[in-house]
Amino acid sequence: MLTKTIATAALAGGLAFGIGLPAQAAQAAPAESTCTISHTLVSPAVAGQPAVYGPAPLITPARAAWVERLLVTPAVAEVSHVVHHDAQYAERVVVDQPYVPAVAPVAEVSHVVHHAAETTTVHHDAVTTTVPHAAVTTTVHHDAVTKVVTHDAVTKVVHHDAVTTPVHHDAVTKVVHHDAVTKVVHHDAVTKVVHHDAVTKTVHHDAVTHTAYTRYSWVGGGRGPVRGDTPVTQPSHWKADNKKYDGSDTGVVLHQGEGNGSYFYWATSVVVDKAAYDEQVVVTAAYDETVVVTPAYDETVVVTPAYDETVVVTPAYDEQVVVYPAYDQTVVVTPAWDETVVTPGWDETVVVTPAWDETVVVTPAWDETVVVTPAWDETVVDVPAQPGSPEQPEVSHVEYDLVTPAWDETVVDVPASDAVYVDVEHPAEAAVYGEPELISAAIPAQPAVYEDVQHCTIVEAESPADPKPAHPTAVLAESPANAEPAGLAETGGSINPAVPVGAGALIVGGIVALLLRRPRRSTED
């Protein structure tokens, strides 16, 4: 404004002295100045406006009380393996054919027995007929008469056939005692492998962590982040720039330099290098122990038990034994004897001719010898022939008796266990809101600004011979477009050399006056 005032004063003075005054103006009457002060409105009063904010952003929503189930120990599936135990057998020798010694052949021993013809005498009685004769008797007295009568033995020849009988000869045997045949069988020790699980204990290892620092730069535009605008609440307004942490504060918005790009935010996060874990430390390693179930021992096994064998010396046979050989025997029917025969006295009716029945032989009796069995010779075997037999070795095989059957044992290496949880109760949480976003900042009220401008007008004394207009610009206004100013006309169209000097002096004086009296500003509401 000061510059404008100085220019106006200089222009007015220059024009007044350079155009309107002739060269003779140096001898004119002294000029008078008239100054006025104008009260100019520089800027109108502006009413204040409050800041306008948008809705506060929700950082964490409200949350009812809740229970969090934390896994303390994960479930462990059972780990096992199958140990196969082979069956245990004991050897046993089974004799399929016992040892048989050689038997020498036996020749047949026999003799010839002559059997006479068997005959029988068939007596045919005489065929007779009876003719009765009446007795002719007389009585004769007899005195007792005694006499010794010698009776010769009455004999007859009786033929006796040979008397035989079948005689059964039992086999002639003898008992031969055979001792038991044994052998010593060595039984290895019966063992089993007992698996001993490893003895462990649980060692808890805490998680290995470190703090990671991430620098975010503002890319949200506008006037920069508002309160509560962070990479956590408004991740789209920020961009990670992967710079190395320089020790700045974390969790707050920082500003360095000028411009929106100078807003940055250091965020921290806990990086788990190695998660916490429970380690099963082996106190005693698992091992297999060979346990002796049955110690090794030597057993005397009876291959062939002791036995008594009845050996046939002579096999059994049936023999026709002649009890009595056939012979002719004179049998005494009545032995010879002396008999004193007493004939008492008696009266005897003597039958002169006794009555008698006369048997008339029609056919005389006769004896017929009938052959029942003709004579024959029989060969009687005393000892039958027996073929010999070679020696037969013992035939045996080995059988295995099952002592312990094969079985599979499931050995549990790691027993199964359920997961262990712990319930952590969390109280209800209220919603957390960030700072509301500033839409427009508050505008303070501005009072009206006025400027006081002093206007000074230089008025020169009028000359009777050369009247001048009140203001030099009036000369320009009243002159034709192509007319020369009056001063120029009087001087032949040239400028008096005194005009620039006067103009310069006037300019300097105006500047000094203006510096001495600076314009005053006043304010009005």
Side-chain angles (χ1 to χ4, degrees):
M1 199 59 157
L2 177 63
T3 305
K4 184 177 180 181
T5 304
I6 295 173
T8 303
L11 179 59
L15 289 176
F17 284 93
I19 300 175
L21 293 181
Q24 298 90 348
Q27 293 81 20
E32 295 180 1
S33 63
T34 303
C35 295
T36 61
I37 297 174
S38 62
H39 199 58
T40 305
L41 179 63
V42 178
S43 60
V46 178
Q49 294 181 0
V52 178
Y53 292 92
L58 178 63
I59 297 176
T60 306
R63 193 172 192 179
W66 56 289
V67 177
E68 180 183 10
R69 174 160 289 185
L70 299 178
L71 178 64
V72 177
T73 305
V76 177
E78 180 182 282
V79 177
S80 62
H81 67 278
V82 176
V83 177
H84 178 74
H85 298 273
D86 293 329
Q88 302 291 329
Y89 293 91
E91 289 187 1
R92 179 171 55 89
V93 177
V94 178
V95 177
D96 300 315
Q97 177 180 315
Y99 170 77
V100 178
V103 177
V106 177
E108 182 183 274
V109 178
S110 63
H111 64 277
V112 177
V113 176
H114 177 74
H115 294 276
E118 293 184 6
T119 60
T120 183
T121 302
V122 177
H123 178 72
H124 298 275
D125 291 331
V127 178
T128 62
T129 181
T130 301
V131 178
H133 294 276
V136 177
T137 66
T138 185
T139 301
V140 176
H141 178 72
H142 297 277
D143 293 328
V145 177
T146 61
K147 67 177 178 179
V148 175
V149 177
T150 299
H151 294 278
D152 293 327
V154 178
T155 62
K156 68 178 180 179
V157 176
V158 178
H159 177 74
H160 294 277
D161 293 327
V163 178
T164 61
T165 182
V167 176
H168 176 73
H169 294 274
D170 292 328
V172 177
T173 60
K174 68 177 179 179
V175 176
V176 177
H177 179 72
H178 295 274
D179 292 328
V181 177
T182 62
K183 70 175 182 180
V184 176
V185 177
H186 178 73
H187 294 274
D188 293 329
V190 177
T191 61
K192 68 176 181 180
V193 177
V194 177
H195 179 75
H196 295 273
D197 294 328
V199 178
T200 61
K201 68 176 181 180
T202 301
V203 177
H204 179 73
H205 296 273
D206 294 328
V208 178
T209 62
H210 73 275
T211 302
Y213 298 90
T214 305
R215 186 180 188 274
Y216 292 89
S217 297
W218 171 259
V219 294
R223 298 180 180 179
V226 299
R227 184 178 180 183
D229 190 339
T230 66
V232 179
T233 60
Q234 297 290 338
S236 62
H237 294 171
W238 300 84
K239 179 180 179 182
D241 51 17
N242 299 323
K243 289 189 176 182
K244 185 177 180 180
Y245 181 58
D246 57 3
S248 300
D249 294 337
T250 60
V252 295
V253 177
L254 304 175
H255 187 262
Q256 182 180 10
E258 299 180 358
N260 291 338
S262 299
Y263 290 98
F264 62 94
Y265 182 97
W266 281 101
T268 61
S269 61
V270 177
V271 177
V272 178
D273 300 317
K274 188 174 184 180
Y277 65 97
D278 290 332
E279 180 184 9
Q280 291 292 330
V281 177
V282 177
V283 178
T284 304
Y287 64 96
D288 292 332
E289 178 185 8
T290 301
V291 178
V292 177
V293 178
T294 304
Y297 64 97
D298 291 332
E299 179 187 8
T300 301
V301 178
V302 176
V303 178
T304 304
Y307 64 97
D308 290 333
E309 180 185 11
T310 301
V311 178
V312 177
V313 177
T314 303
Y317 63 95
D318 291 330
E319 179 185 10
Q320 287 292 333
V321 177
V322 176
V323 180
Y324 302 107
Y327 63 94
D328 292 333
Q329 178 184 14
T330 301
V331 178
V332 176
V333 178
T334 303
W337 52 288
D338 291 334
E339 178 184 10
T340 301
V341 178
V342 176
T343 302
W346 53 289
D347 288 333
E348 174 187 14
T349 299
V350 177
V351 177
V352 178
T353 303
W356 52 288
D357 291 329
E358 182 182 8
T359 300
V360 177
V361 176
V362 178
T363 302
W366 58 284
D367 290 330
E368 179 184 12
T369 299
V370 178
V371 177
V372 178
T373 303
W376 57 286
D377 292 331
E378 177 186 9
T379 301
V380 177
V381 177
D382 301 318
V383 178
Q386 289 184 350
S389 60
E391 179 183 18
Q392 297 181 3
E394 178 185 280
V395 178
S396 62
H397 67 278
V398 177
E399 293 184 358
Y400 295 90
D401 295 330
L402 181 63
V403 177
T404 305
W407 56 289
D408 291 331
E409 177 186 8
T410 300
V411 179
V412 177
D413 301 317
V414 179
S417 61
D418 296 328
V420 178
Y421 295 88
V422 60
D423 292 336
V424 179
E425 295 184 358
H426 295 271
E429 299 175 357
V432 178
Y433 293 90
E435 294 294 333
E437 181 180 3
L438 178 65
I439 297 176
S440 61
I443 301 175
Q446 299 288 338
V449 178
Y450 293 89
E451 183 179 27
D452 291 336
V453 180
Q454 183 178 5
H455 298 278
C456 294
T457 304
I458 300 174
V459 180
E460 296 180 356
E462 295 183 358
S463 174
D466 189 10
K468 296 297 179 181
H471 196 275
T473 59
V475 177
L476 295 175
E478 295 176 357
S479 298
N482 297 324
E484 291 181 356
L488 294 177
E490 294 181 354
T491 58
S494 61
I495 299 175
N496 195 318
V499 172
V501 176
L506 183 58
I507 291 171
V508 172
I511 292 172
V512 172
L514 290 175
L515 292 175
L516 294 176
R517 183 180 179 84
R518 300 187 65 178
R520 294 179 292 109
R521 291 178 179 272
S522 63
T523 61
E524 293 182 2
D525 294 335

